Amino acid sequence: FQLQASGGGLVQAGGSLRLSCAASGLIVDYYAIGWFRQAPGKEREGVSCIGRSGVTTADSVKGRFTISRDNAKNTVYLQMNSLKPEDTAIYYCAATPVLLGTLRADLHDYWGQGTLVTVSS
């Protein structure tokens, strides 16, 4: 199984980015797919997860980030709006068999390689 995260980059505060997580060898509709991030010197943080029954989103990004899934493209997206410097991190996507979705990293079995998001002030 492979998850390929892309779409990161450098953006000014208040800007937007859309991250993509393309899956191969794994059907995203059969899993819940989560986005996580890790900033330098900080622990990995769950951002948002899309499962069969809905979406779970961290309070820190609620109202700014939106997760979605395109089953035809076997891809999950994270639309990030109103970005802040504190959103700067490496963003990872991961798959979990917990179909309700979860922000617990230890319950995700398959991980992508990460994409860097840098938000300048």
Side-chain angles (χ1 to χ4, degrees), residues 10-117:
L10 174 63
V11 64
Q12 288 188 334
S16 298
L17 283 174
R18 188 177 78 157
L19 305 183
S20 299
C21 176
S24 59
L26 172 155
I27 299 174
V28 295
D29 194 36
Y30 292 177
Y31 290 80
I33 305 296
W35 282 98
F36 295 80
R37 66 185 182 185
Q38 189 164 19
K42 295 189 176 181
E43 293 186 354
R44 189 167 294 190
E45 173 190 18
V47 176
S48 191
C49 186
I50 185 166
R52 285 288 185 87
S53 62
V55 169
T56 302
T57 301
D59 289 342
S60 58
V61 303
K62 201 168 288 185
R64 300 188 297 121
F65 291 11
T66 303
I67 192 171
S68 62
R69 178 173 56 204
D70 186 333
N71 291 337
K73 294 183 178 180
N74 214 30
T75 299
V76 172
Y77 303 97
L78 184 69
Q79 178 67 43
M80 305 187 297
N81 299 327
S82 302
L83 282 160
K84 304 175 181 180
E86 51 263 43
D87 294 320
T88 295
I90 298 175
Y91 283 72
Y92 302 87
C93 60
T96 174
V98 179
L99 295 181
L100 293 177
T102 174
L103 295 182
R104 285 181 52 181
D106 62 324
L107 295 181
H108 286 71
D109 297 330
Y110 308 106
W111 290 80
Q113 84 291 357
T115 185
L116 177 62
V117 172

